[in-house]
Amino acid sequence: MSGMKDVGSPELIAKLLILQRQGEFEKKETVSEITKAEITGDELLFEFTTPLASKVNRKTIAKSYFKENVLYTAWVSALTGIFEAEGGYGDTLIGMRDSFKLV
């Protein structure tokens, strides 16, 4: 494999990474819902929400690189309200994810 697209579709890669992160890989099920997944060049950007309680969700944004047959992923999570609140930290959190670069 030479690039991210050789690993699989954006949604498949995102789902597998989410399952691994949540420790649910063997069950092959998660309550998280992928809301965005796209490959751009050598990067995979994806987002998902995870219900925590009634009307309380956590949003996670992630960025992955595929290099030398290894996926390197940066995860940024917060309550959905933190991302979406007017004057909140959404842009700051996205900036943190976007600053992740492999050297």
Side-chain angles (χ1 to χ4, degrees):
M1 291 187 276
S2 61
M4 185 68 76
K5 290 183 180 180
D6 295 334
V7 178
S9 71
E11 293 80 13
L12 175 63
I13 299 168
K15 182 176 181 179
L16 293 173
L17 287 168
I18 293 165
L19 289 169
Q20 182 181 31
R21 181 172 192 250
Q22 295 175 344
E24 301 292 339
F25 198 78
E26 296 298 322
K27 291 182 184 177
K28 298 179 180 68
E29 292 181 21
T30 179
V31 295
S32 297
E33 179 183 341
I34 297 170
T35 55
K36 179 181 179 181
E38 64 184 6
I39 294 173
T40 306
D42 61 348
E43 300 175 349
L44 167 66
L45 296 175
F46 62 99
E47 301 177 0
F48 62 97
T49 57
T50 304
L52 301 176
S54 178
K55 299 182 182 182
V56 179
N57 295 307
R58 178 182 65 224
K59 181 175 180 174
T60 303
I61 57 176
K63 182 179 190 180
S64 292
Y65 287 98
F66 180 75
K67 183 178 181 181
E68 298 173 1
N69 292 324
V70 177
L71 281 168
Y72 298 91
T73 306
W75 306 84
V76 179
S77 293
L79 293 176
T80 305
I82 301 294
F83 275 94
E84 298 172 355
E86 187 175 329
Y89 295 101
D91 290 339
T92 301
L93 295 169
I94 292 168
M96 290 170 63
R97 181 216 39 207
D98 292 347
S99 70
F100 174 56
K101 307 274 187 223
L102 283 185
V103 291

